[in-house]
């Protein structure tokens, strides 16, 4: 009986966003599985294309004479592929994209990178025979062959680079001796290992350590080597009870395929956990214990981290605990290195994957645990189609795999905390630091007063004095420049007033031509030269950067060792790791950087953190502005005093009375949550409601404006039926990028399912109207 495969062709075009049926050749019957990548004839010219196998059946869906045959299987992704494809299909429906775009996201290594081979030459005869053969070669004056045989008598297996390099043996000589049966040329595939893992392995081996760590038993000392606090142990016990519990029911394939319901809506408190741990409370130690328990059960774990800069410190800790059973993924690895890490996971060579967003799609056969550290970070949201949120996708994958999902943060996203408060996940709190250290003392400096008293520098007098005192004591300082949103808003340095949209309560952004624009509704007004509140001429955008701060510090403290960590200094492959290693080794006294330096790093010698321009992120054109600011400042404050040295923090701001500033200074979450939730409830923003943004882009500005207008008007008609609210269209915050113009509009509704329905209607409307075919349109969910 013939078998047929439903295949998605690897072409990202909406007209081809459908399956095509192909005959499976006899040699692939019983071998080909859903998830495999195949090569097949496609189109009138029968050009060979690649495609993804989605389903195999005996049913024929079109006339037999039109059925073509698969040529060959290109890659096989292992037993995890069917669940990953199901995940991709759900992402397509929930976030809006073509099937191919979703598959390329979930199965990103469809083109097999060239395998790395380890070649060697092995002696193929016994020693006595080899000695007799050597005498014959010497008599015949075959010196090259004799030289190789002499070396093989001392070392029966030699690397090929030694044979061809040191011994100067040519390929014809090797072929001749192999034909004589004297030697055997061997080739073994080896996986490329990221440089940081190779360095750690060498360090452990040099210290007589083992690169393959033994997991402690259930009742032995913790895998970290330290005694856990009561709060840490409670978190470990609670989650491990669920990990060891009876087998959880996974979502069936039939339920998941094409089902675009929001993930987590059916989650129970036993499958998802939120660890709300103060900065320095030891969340990483808890993660390590949970991973150890997962590995004891013969399952695998994924640890997501938000930034490449966090990879180094995390890998050091986890490598010492789990040895060669871990690997990493991030965008600085080459395509070949990334491919090899996925291959190692598929082959069962590793059990733990650490990395940013893309690590979520590691093809583990028996995934038992997904951890998302610093879950509040916006970097977990993709900027490319499909615009997925890794936290939501992790919930879906955990449901498919029957895995446990753990979210961790000192400053949880409102959505995650709201879910925990309403019983959709289990909330675990950790308020104390294992070292017994206290949270840092925080001083708020009003920069308006600094200006009135004659200090126009970006560094306040208070901060300068504290830097001097801590440097004299041999302690380290970090200066954090909150640049998020610095390029857009306009504020008064005298009174702190910010120019805002009268309709959306978000800041207006300064555009060319002296226009202030709202990126939510499109409201526009002319830029002002004087503050409309106090009349001060000191009104405009923020222009200082990390280089200017470095110059100010160098002038104020000559001879002090300064490191700068920003996009310019971390362009190299290992730029983040080298700067963090140097600062951790106290090769510098002051570290200056943007938000990447305040996320999860642990430097015990840091006694002072200065948050410069703390309120910049309060003025971004985003309803989450206050939340982002609170999170950044609280995380920054958490970098100080993590060791035995008491910590201090200086927050410089033009808005010292704002609740995001005062709550971050107090390092208290509940008061901030309550006040911010009252605002969200009043405005209907998530998590009180759901929000979907529709992004449109085109090189033709006029056509883009027309297309976005038509689509927004159609959305407005749907909004009347669904009782939704449509805002915009307006220019994006960055209205033009790489010669492409960009616009956006927003749809707000209490029910996420209503937004899914509206998205589906809009996709049909886009498909039916040829005017949209050269307009790039994608949807972003903010539930």
């Amino acid at each position: 009986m013939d078998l047929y495969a439903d295949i998605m062709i690897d072409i990202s075009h909406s007209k081809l966003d459908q399956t095509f049926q192909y005959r499976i050749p006899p040699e692939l019957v019983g071998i080909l599985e859903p998830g495999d990548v195949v090569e097949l004839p496609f189109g009138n010219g029968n050009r060979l294309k690649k495609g993804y196998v989605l389903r195999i059946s005996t049913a024929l869906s079109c006339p037999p004479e039109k059925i073509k045959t698969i040529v060959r299987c290109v890659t096989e992704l292992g037993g995890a592929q069917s669940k990953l494809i199901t995940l991709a299909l759900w992402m397509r429906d929930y976030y809006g994209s073509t099937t191919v775009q979703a598959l390329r996201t979930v199965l990103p290594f469809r083109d097999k990178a060239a395998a790395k081979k380890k070649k060697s030459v092995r002696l193929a005869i016994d020693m006595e025979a080899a000695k007799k053969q050597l005498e014959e070669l010497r008599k015949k004056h075959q010196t090259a062959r004799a030289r190789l045989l002499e070396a093989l008598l001392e070392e029966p297996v030699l690397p090929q680079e030694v044979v061809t390099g040191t011994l100067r043996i040519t390929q014809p000589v090797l072929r001749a001796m192999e034909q004589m049966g004297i030697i055997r040329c061997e080739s073994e595939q080896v996986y490329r290992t990221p440089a940081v893992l190779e360095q750690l392995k060498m360090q452990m081996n040099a210290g007589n350590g083992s690169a393959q760590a033994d997991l402690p038993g259930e009742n032995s000392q913790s895998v970290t080597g330290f005694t856990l606090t009561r709060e840490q142990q409670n978190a470990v016990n609670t989650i491990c009870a669920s990990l060891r519990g009876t087998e959880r029911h996974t979502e069936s394939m039939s339920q998941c395929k094409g089902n675009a319901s929001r993930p987590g809506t059916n989650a129970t408190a036993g499958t998802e956990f939120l660890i709300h741990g103060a900065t320095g409370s030891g969340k990483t130690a808890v993660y390590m214990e949970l991973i150890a328990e997962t590995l004891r059960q013969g399952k695998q774990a994924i640890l997501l981290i938000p930034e490449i800069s966090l990879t180094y410190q995390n890998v050091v800790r986890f490598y010492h605990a789990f040895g060669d059973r871990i690997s990493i993924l991030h965008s600085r690895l080459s395509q070949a290195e990334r491919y090899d890490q996925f291959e190692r996971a598929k082959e069962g060579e590793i059990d733990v994957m650490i990395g940013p967003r893309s690590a979520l799609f590691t093809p583990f056969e028996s995934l038992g645990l997904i951890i998302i550290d610093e879950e509040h970070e916006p970097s977990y949201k993709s900027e490319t189609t499909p615009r997925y949120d890794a936290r939501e996708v992790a919930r879906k994958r955990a449901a498919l795999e029957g895995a446990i999902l753990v979210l961790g943060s000192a400053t949880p996203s409102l959505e995650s905390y709201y879910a925990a408060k309403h019983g959709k996940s289990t909330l675990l709190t950790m308020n104390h630091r294992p070292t017994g250290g206290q949270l840092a003392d925080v001083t708020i400096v009003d920069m308006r007063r600094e200006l009135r008293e004659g200090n126009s520098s970006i560094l306040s007098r208070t901060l300068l004095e504290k830097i001097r005192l801590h440097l004299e004591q041999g302690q380290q300082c970090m200066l954090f420049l909150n640049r998020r949103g610095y390029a857009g808003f306009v504020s008064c340095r005298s009174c702190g007033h910010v120019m805002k949209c009268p309709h959306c309560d978000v800041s207006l952004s300064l555009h060319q031509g002296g226009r202030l624009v709202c990126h939510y509704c499109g409201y526009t007004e002319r830029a002002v030269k004087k503050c409309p509140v106090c009349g001060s001429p000191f009104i405009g955008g923020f222009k200082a950067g990390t280089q200017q701060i470095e110059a100010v510090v160098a002038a104020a403290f000559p001879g002090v060792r300064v490191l700068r960590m920003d996009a310019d200094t971390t362009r190299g492959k290992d730029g983040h790791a080298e700067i963090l290693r140097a600062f951790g080794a106290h090769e510098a006294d002051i570290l200056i950087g943007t938000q990447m330096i305040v996320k999860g790093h642990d430097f015990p010698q840091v006694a002072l953190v200065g948050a410069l321009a703390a309120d910049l992120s309060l003025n971004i054109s985003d309803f989450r502005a206050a939340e982002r600011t609170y999170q950044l400042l609280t995380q920054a404050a958490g970098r100080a005093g993590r060791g035995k040295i008491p910590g201090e923090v200086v927050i410089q701001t033009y808005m010292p009375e704002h609740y995001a500033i005062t709550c971050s200074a107090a390092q208290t979450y509940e008061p901030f949550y309550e006040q911010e939730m009252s605002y969200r409830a009043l405005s209907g923003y998530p998590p009180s409601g759901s929000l979907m943004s529709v992004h449109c882009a085109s090189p033709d500005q006029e056509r883009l404006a027309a297309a976005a207008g038509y689509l927004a008007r159609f959305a407005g008609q749907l909004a009347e039926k669904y009782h939704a609210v449509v805002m915009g269209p307006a220019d994006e915050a960055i209205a033009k990028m790489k010669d492409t113009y960009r616009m956006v509009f927003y749809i707000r509704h209490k029910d996420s399912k209503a937004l899914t329905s509206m998205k589906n209607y809009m996709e049909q409307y886009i498909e039916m109207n040829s005017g949209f075919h050269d307009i790039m349109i994608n949807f972003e969910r903010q539930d």
Side-chain angles (χ1 to χ4, degrees):
M1 180 182 296
D2 286 340
L3 286 178
Y4 305 94
D6 292 335
I7 293 174
M8 175 62 62
I9 307 299
D10 191 6
I11 301 175
S12 184
H13 193 292
S14 59
K15 286 187 176 180
L16 294 176
D17 194 31
Q18 57 179 302
T19 59
F20 295 84
Q21 195 170 60
Y22 281 78
R23 181 178 289 105
I24 299 175
E27 63 271 20
L28 292 180
V29 171
I31 298 175
L32 203 65
E33 295 180 356
D36 287 344
V37 182
V38 294
E39 204 169 55
L40 38 76
F42 185 78
N44 294 330
N46 280 332
R47 290 179 301 167
L48 292 181
K49 292 287 185 182
K50 289 179 182 175
Y52 302 95
V53 178
L54 300 185
R55 191 169 67 93
I56 295 174
S57 69
T58 57
L60 196 60
S61 61
C62 58
E65 62 273 13
K66 293 187 176 182
I67 292 286
K68 298 178 181 179
T69 302
I70 294 170
V71 174
R72 66 188 182 95
C73 180
V74 179
T75 59
E76 299 175 5
L77 300 180
Q81 68 264 29
S82 60
K83 291 176 183 176
L84 286 172
I85 285 180
T86 299
L87 185 66
L89 297 179
W90 173 83
M91 290 171 64
R92 173 202 64 190
D93 293 339
Y94 187 70
Y95 292 104
S97 72
T98 65
T99 304
V100 167
Q101 286 171 325
L103 287 168
R104 284 177 174 175
T105 300
V106 171
L107 309 174
F109 301 101
R110 60 195 184 283
D111 294 326
K112 188 172 183 179
K116 183 178 179 181
K117 299 290 186 180
K118 178 181 179 181
K119 296 181 179 181
S120 58
V121 176
R122 180 183 296 274
L123 183 63
I125 55 180
D126 61 42
M127 290 294 182
E128 290 301 319
K131 290 175 181 178
K132 292 179 181 179
Q133 186 65 56
L134 179 57
E135 293 177 4
E136 291 294 324
L137 294 175
R138 286 171 174 167
K139 289 178 182 178
K140 297 178 180 178
H141 302 290
Q142 294 177 330
T143 56
R145 299 183 188 187
R147 188 165 62 249
L148 175 58
L149 196 51
E150 284 175 353
L152 288 172
L153 280 168
E154 294 182 9
E155 188 66 50
V157 181
L158 292 172
Q160 184 166 344
E161 57 266 26
V162 172
V163 172
T164 57
T166 306
L167 298 178
R168 305 187 307 280
I169 306 299
T170 63
Q171 290 296 328
V173 171
L174 290 175
R175 284 195 293 271
M177 292 184 71
E178 190 170 29
Q179 290 173 359
M180 294 169 64
I182 301 173
I183 64 170
R184 185 165 62 248
C185 294
E186 298 177 338
S187 179
E188 176 188 2
Q189 181 176 347
V190 293
Y191 293 120
R192 300 165 181 86
T193 303
V196 64
L197 295 181
E198 287 286 7
Q199 293 169 6
L200 289 170
K201 186 173 182 177
M202 290 174 62
Q203 291 171 12
M204 289 187 72
N205 290 338
N208 297 320
S210 171
Q212 177 59 56
D214 294 324
L215 294 177
E218 291 185 28
N219 300 315
S220 65
Q221 188 183 40
S222 73
V223 71
T224 62
F226 297 99
T227 302
L228 300 180
T229 66
R230 182 179 298 177
E231 290 176 326
Q232 288 175 314
Q233 194 64 60
N234 176 62
V236 170
N237 292 345
T238 302
I239 301 173
C240 281
S242 188
L243 282 167
R244 300 185 193 115
T246 56
E247 187 172 344
R248 295 171 294 280
H249 297 291
T250 62
E251 294 187 29
S252 67
M253 298 299 175
S254 61
Q255 287 176 317
C256 292
K257 287 185 178 180
N259 181 359
S261 63
R262 183 168 183 252
T265 52
N266 297 319
T268 66
T271 58
E272 181 176 333
F273 299 85
L274 172 63
I275 300 177
H276 178 204
T279 54
S281 60
K283 293 184 291 295
T284 300
V286 172
Y287 301 156
M288 294 171 75
E289 294 297 329
L290 298 178
I291 291 173
E293 176 60 32
T294 302
L295 269 54
R296 278 192 287 264
Q297 294 182 20
K299 296 187 176 183
Q300 296 91 37
I302 295 172
L303 170 62
L304 297 189
I305 52 178
E307 298 278 351
I308 296 172
S309 61
L310 293 181
T311 305
Y312 178 74
Q313 281 196 339
N314 276 294
V315 169
V316 171
R317 294 168 184 158
F318 282 81
Y319 194 86
H320 281 287
F322 303 111
D324 287 339
R325 302 308 296 176
I326 76 162
S327 189
I328 60 173
L329 275 178
H330 57 72
S331 59
R332 297 289 175 89
L333 298 181
S334 68
Q335 181 180 352
E337 286 174 322
R338 290 163 63 87
Y339 178 83
D340 277 5
Q341 305 324 301
F342 271 56
E343 282 291 290
R344 292 179 67 199
K346 186 184 73 174
E347 296 299 324
E349 290 197 3
I350 59 173
D351 298 307
V352 183
M353 183 66 81
I354 302 173
R357 212 168 46 224
S358 61
L360 179 58
F361 306 115
T362 303
F364 280 136
E365 296 288 337
S366 184
L367 182 63
L369 177 68
I370 302 173
I371 299 172
I372 305 182
D373 190 27
E374 308 293 357
E375 66 84 26
H376 63 277
E377 281 292 334
S379 58
Y380 284 124
K381 299 195 72 172
S382 171
E383 294 294 326
T384 58
T385 307
R387 289 181 173 239
Y388 70 92
D389 185 330
R391 290 160 293 204
E392 300 286 5
V393 178
R395 288 189 179 96
K396 194 67 178 181
R397 184 165 188 196
L400 286 168
E401 303 274 0
I404 294 293
L405 174 63
V406 176
L407 309 176
S409 176
T411 55
S413 64
L414 261 70
E415 290 82 358
S416 295
Y417 202 75
Y418 181 87
K421 296 275 275 189
H422 288 77
K424 294 181 180 178
S425 64
T426 299
L427 178 64
L428 300 167
T429 58
M430 301 192 321
N431 298 319
H432 301 91
R433 290 180 168 178
T435 59
Q438 299 298 313
L439 295 177
D441 291 329
V442 181
T443 302
I444 298 177
V445 176
D446 188 345
M447 295 301 287
R448 300 172 300 185
R449 182 176 178 180
E450 289 284 310
L451 183 63
R452 287 195 298 268
E453 295 179 358
N455 179 21
S456 59
S457 169
I458 193 172
L459 299 182
S460 67
R461 294 165 297 179
T462 299
L463 181 56
L464 283 169
E465 178 61 18
K466 289 184 180 294
I467 292 173
R468 183 184 65 78
L469 290 173
H470 286 290
L471 290 178
E472 288 176 354
Q473 297 175 48
Q475 297 163 354
Q476 291 180 296
C477 306
M478 295 173 68
L479 298 180
F480 154 55
L481 176 61
N482 181 10
R483 293 186 61 188
R484 181 170 283 156
Y486 80 101
F489 76 97
V490 172
S491 67
C492 175
R493 291 185 65 192
S494 295
C495 71
H497 174 72
V498 176
M499 301 297 293
K500 288 194 172 185
C501 173
H503 308 294
C504 301
D505 196 31
V506 296
S507 65
L508 297 172
S509 295
L510 182 63
H511 282 242
Q512 291 181 344
R515 295 181 304 124
L516 293 173
V517 179
C518 172
H519 294 299
Y520 274 63
C521 71
Y523 171 82
T524 303
E525 65 178 63
R526 291 193 60 78
V528 296
K529 295 183 179 179
K530 291 185 178 181
C531 176
V533 174
C534 72
S536 170
F538 296 105
I539 187 167
F542 183 80
K543 294 181 171 56
T546 50
Q547 286 180 299
Q548 291 95 319
I549 295 168
E550 185 178 22
V552 171
V553 169
F557 306 101
V560 167
R561 301 170 298 172
V562 177
L563 280 172
R564 179 164 55 89
M565 187 171 179
D566 54 25
D568 292 330
T569 61
T570 56
R571 293 186 189 278
K573 186 174 182 179
D574 299 313
H576 294 90
E578 179 54 32
I579 292 173
L580 294 172
R581 183 209 59 77
F583 190 64
H586 211 151
E587 295 174 12
D589 305 300
I590 298 177
L591 176 62
I592 299 171
T594 53
Q595 54 262 27
M596 66 176 69
I597 73 170
V598 300
K599 297 177 179 179
H601 302 304
D602 189 358
F603 297 113
Q605 292 300 311
V606 171
L608 174 67
V609 172
L612 314 182
D615 44 38
L616 280 184
S617 51
L618 275 177
N619 303 303
I620 58 177
S621 186
D622 188 339
F623 72 89
R624 292 190 173 95
E627 182 182 6
R628 298 280 189 251
T629 302
Y630 170 81
Q631 290 165 342
L632 273 172
L633 295 181
T634 305
Q635 292 286 340
R639 297 316 107 200
R642 296 175 73 91
K644 296 181 180 180
I645 303 171
E648 286 192 277
V649 179
V650 175
I651 296 178
Q652 298 185 166
T653 175
Y654 290 95
M655 304 175 70
E657 68 285 344
H658 195 285
Y659 65 93
I661 303 291
T662 57
C663 289
S664 62
Q667 300 183 67
T668 52
Y669 183 81
E670 279 286 347
F672 171 79
Y673 172 81
E674 295 297 337
Q675 190 153 354
E676 181 67 9
M677 275 303 302
S678 64
Y679 158 69
R680 300 284 180 92
L682 185 65
S683 305
Y685 287 125
S688 290
S690 292
L691 186 71
M692 179 169 65
S693 52
V694 184
H695 301 267
C696 308
S698 172
D700 189 323
Q701 189 175 18
E702 291 185 4
R703 295 205 63 223
L704 172 65
Y710 277 117
L711 188 57
R713 282 193 288 275
F714 179 72
Q717 296 172 10
L718 294 172
E720 293 181 6
K721 173 184 175 183
Y722 286 95
H723 306 291
V725 176
V726 177
M727 299 177 291
D731 287 339
E732 294 261 26
I734 302 176
K736 186 180 181 181
M737 184 180 292
K738 297 180 180 179
D739 295 321
T740 301
Y741 296 92
R742 312 186 324 154
M743 297 186 74
V744 63
F745 64 90
Y746 300 86
I747 307 173
R748 198 170 64 208
H749 197 282
K750 290 183 178 180
D751 186 1
S752 176
K753 292 181 180 179
L755 292 184
T756 298
S757 298
M758 293 179 69
K759 174 192 68 69
N760 293 339
Y761 279 120
M762 282 189 283
E763 287 180 327
Q764 293 174 19
Y765 179 73
I766 292 166
E767 182 62 30
M768 290 168 54
N769 291 275
S770 59
F772 291 110
H773 286 176
D774 57 353
I775 307 292
M776 292 171 282
I777 300 172
N778 55 60
F779 301 86
E780 180 179 1
R781 304 297 291 264
Q782 302 188 56
D783 297 320

